[in-house]
Amino acid sequence: MSCATPLTDSFDRRISYLRLSVTDRCDLRCAYCMPERMQFLPKSEVLTLEEIYRLALAFVARGVAKIRLTGGEPLVRRDVMDLVRALGRKLGDGLEELTLTTNGTQLAEYAQPLFDAGVRRVNVSLDTRDPDLFAQLTRRDRLAQVLEGIAAAKAAGLRVKINTVALKGLNEAEIPQLVEWSHAQGHDLTLIEVMPMGDVDGERIDHYLPLPAVRDQLEQHFALSDIGDSTGGPARYVRVAETGRRIGFISPLTNNFCATCNRVRVTATGQLYACLGGAEKVDLRAALRSDQPEAALATALDEAMRIKPERHHFAIARGAAPAQPRHMSVTGG
Ligand code: SAM
Ligand code: SF4
């Protein structure tokens, strides 16, 4: 596919990676992500699958080579596989990788169809393997389905990366076992610091666990050696001598990784957020639904490159409003 004007922002960063939310809805209610009574968007505001597809193609035409479907929970959107299959047909034709981030509850059903559509890697979020803690953290009793989903993904030939939010006093003590288990299953694991995005029912700071402390804890169990970042993403990686596999650390609060940012995010309503931690956005839905969608989209994408900020300014403090009022599930985490 031709790539007339690759997306490059005003800090000379090439934007080659799109995180595309297909829904803000979810079948879990992770306590650090959303309140129990989360208000989801009316369906009328959400892009149709056909609109999402057209948007994705517009990005690919501007040099985006990797698309990650996310949400909310991408696999709760009805007919999402139609979109996956349509995008899968673009692999090798401008698109190099199609992947998704999922909570895993539906993966047992979708793993094989995802593989058949051309998906080769998935990120599965798993914060604990303790059924009671899982039910407490997600407010739903679904650990067995998630573990079944992860096993199905492996059996289907998908490479799995486990994403774990590090939570003080909750899964903190379990993290070394989670690493051991993931690595034994053949999966790398990435740890994430909880980020102040959107209101939740409790105080996030009560469970905020800085990853440098987690690394110190892990070093009492494993021999860790730093490895260079091969993905251009926000994670810093170490190799575990005992298992041969990797642990990633995503530390938006303790470590700034914005200089190499290669991504933008689009919400399920077609709002492009230029930065996960910022408010800068352009309305791609309006562009898509205008009289001249192609021209309007091109202008909107240029505008997004102009406004993409140099870096995020996350901070987490007791009693303070979240740094970003929108939830991760809305932005497409
Ligand atoms: N529902 C899917 C899932 O859980 O994998 C995809 C969307 S979810 C918003 C994507 C990732 O964001 C998950 O790994 C989740 O743990 C993480 N996440 C959600 N809220 C977060 C927050 N406030 N801080 C850090 N990570 C968060
Ligand atoms: Fe749902 Fe993912 Fe948020 Fe958990 S983290 S509530 S699974 S969107």
Side-chain angles (χ1 to χ4, degrees), residues 40 46 73 124 132 135 156 172 179 193 195 246 261 276 316 323 325:
F40 294 116
V46 171
E73 173 48 41
V124 185
D132 294 331
E172 181 176 4
V179 169
E193 279 172 357
M195 294 173 228
R246 301 188 311 171
C261 185
L276 178 65
I316 190 163

Side-chain angles (χ1 to χ4, degrees), residues 19 25-26 28 30 32-34 69-74 101-104 123-127 163-165 192-197 200 204 327-330 332-333:
R19 298 178 71 107
R25 286 166 196 262
C26 191
L28 301 182
C30 303
Y32 55 77
C33 178
M34 56 174 77
L69 302 180
T70 178
E73 173 48 41
T101 297
T102 173
N103 64 25
N123 287 357
V124 185
S125 303
L126 180 70
D127 300 329
N163 279 345
T164 302
V165 177
I192 306 170
E193 279 172 357
V194 75
M195 294 173 228
M197 298 193 61
V200 289
R204 275 200 193 87
H327 294 88
M328 186 79 109
S329 58
V330 171

Side-chain angles (χ1 to χ4, degrees), residues 74-149:
L75 296 180
V76 302
R77 176 138 186 192
R78 203 148 46 85
D79 303 334
V80 68
M81 281 308 302
D82 292 345
L83 176 69
V84 176
R85 278 187 280 267
L87 289 175
R89 288 192 280 276
K90 291 288 156 193
L91 287 164
D93 182 17
L95 185 60
E96 286 166 18
E97 185 172 34
L98 175 63
T99 179
L100 85 165
T101 297
T102 173
N103 64 25
T105 58
Q106 327 263 328
L107 208 43
E109 179 186 344
Y110 285 106
Q112 190 63 52
L114 286 168
F115 185 90
D116 294 343
V119 174
R120 291 294 174 265
R121 293 199 298 159
V122 291
N123 287 357
V124 185
S125 303
L126 180 70
D127 300 329
T128 178
R129 287 174 56 247
D130 177 289
D132 294 331
L133 184 57
F134 185 94
Q136 179 192 337
L137 288 179
T138 67
R139 304 189 181 103
R140 300 290 184 270
D141 185 12
R142 306 251 165 91
L143 177 65
Q145 286 99 307
V146 174
L147 295 178
E148 207 188 315

Side-chain angles (χ1 to χ4, degrees), residues 13 23 28 36 39 49 60 85 106 112 123 125 140 150 161 163 166 181 192 206 208 237 268 308 323 332:
R13 292 172 297 196
T23 179
L28 301 182
E36 169 69 88
Q39 279 286 322
L49 286 180
V60 173
R85 278 187 280 267
Q106 327 263 328
Q112 190 63 52
N123 287 357
S125 303
R140 300 290 184 270
I150 293 172
K161 182 160 70 69
N163 279 345
W181 175 83
I192 306 170
D206 289 342
Y208 166 56
Y237 289 97
K308 186 168 165 64

